[in-house]
Amino acid sequence: DDVISESTTRYFLLLPIVDLYEDVLDASKQVKTKSLQSFKTISTILSQTKFDKVAMKKTFNRYGDNIYYSSPERANIYLAGGALPGTVQTEQYMLRNDVITNVENLREDIANILKQSTGSWDEQEIEDMADDFRETLQSLESYLERTNPDDLKFAKVLYAKQKAAATQ
């Protein structure tokens, strides 16, 4: 039988979160350049559908031992006297929300910057975007620190293999 283990499934479910982190990290490195091309790169990265609010919620909820379920039988089970979310689960849920809010802020930041004349960008807006990147990365790192270490280790290996295969 080709049965996929629960732990293997968790690695694959964590992989999209690692991918989000790596994309945000790549985009954040473009801020210092302060060029039209770097800002376009940031916009291209952040305009991917995986950074849409609903898509990010689903991505995080698929991995997490979450308090949100899509099936009506399990929806908000803790409200009906089921298991309460644990501390780590609650922290991850809050960090997920921080990531989503910060990504929305980043999308607004880059849209505003790209509306300005080339070369005469508002330095305060660029600094705001840099701050939003720092906060997003910090929340993603904190989220990942709260995952199962083996899940994270193997998800990173899978990410590296996918990245290497994509560049060939």
Side-chain angles (χ1 to χ4, degrees):
D1 281 356
D2 284 334
V3 177
I4 296 176
S5 72
E6 180 183 333
S7 60
T8 302
T9 302
R10 286 195 323 261
Y11 311 149
F12 283 106
L13 294 175
L14 186 56
L15 179 60
I17 299 170
V18 171
D19 184 52
L20 287 172
Y21 171 79
E22 294 294 337
D23 276 358
V24 171
L25 183 61
D26 288 346
S28 72
K29 293 175 182 176
Q30 298 292 319
V31 176
K32 291 179 186 174
T33 307
K34 298 181 188 176
S35 70
L36 180 59
Q37 186 56 47
S38 66
F39 294 143
K40 284 182 177 181
T41 299
I42 293 169
S43 180
T44 299
I45 291 170
L46 295 178
S47 65
Q48 295 174 83
T49 57
K50 66 182 169 185
F51 286 107
D52 292 347
K53 184 176 186 175
V54 172
M56 283 193 293
K57 282 184 179 183
K58 287 180 179 180
T59 296
F60 282 98
N61 288 345
R62 274 188 212 102
Y63 173 77
D65 221 0
N66 59 65
I67 60 174
Y68 167 82
Y69 296 96
S70 57
S71 73
E73 302 84 46
R74 298 177 70 194
N76 297 318
I77 195 167
Y78 66 98
L79 293 175
L84 292 171
T87 303
V88 171
Q89 180 182 1
T90 301
E91 290 171 351
Q92 283 181 314
Y93 187 80
M94 290 186 311
L95 289 163
R96 175 204 82 160
N97 290 341
D98 288 346
V99 169
I100 292 168
T101 299
N102 286 319
V103 167
E104 288 177 331
N105 292 342
L106 284 165
R107 284 176 146 187
E108 285 179 30
D109 293 340
I110 196 62
N112 290 335
I113 288 168
L114 288 173
K115 287 178 191 173
Q116 298 169 20
S117 299
T118 302
S120 62
W121 295 292
D122 182 343
E123 287 297 319
Q124 185 58 52
E125 281 210 56
I126 294 171
E127 189 54 41
D128 288 347
M129 184 170 57
D131 288 343
D132 288 337
F133 270 119
R134 278 190 287 279
E135 290 174 20
T136 305
L137 288 167
Q138 184 178 29
S139 294
L140 280 164
E141 289 163 0
S142 293
Y143 182 95
L144 291 171
E145 287 170 1
R146 286 164 176 77
T147 63
N148 177 296
D150 288 334
D151 290 356
L152 183 57
K153 175 183 171 185
F154 288 108
K156 285 182 174 182
V157 168
L158 289 170
Y159 175 83
K161 286 182 179 183
Q162 278 187 347
K163 189 83 165 177
T167 58
Q168 290 180 356

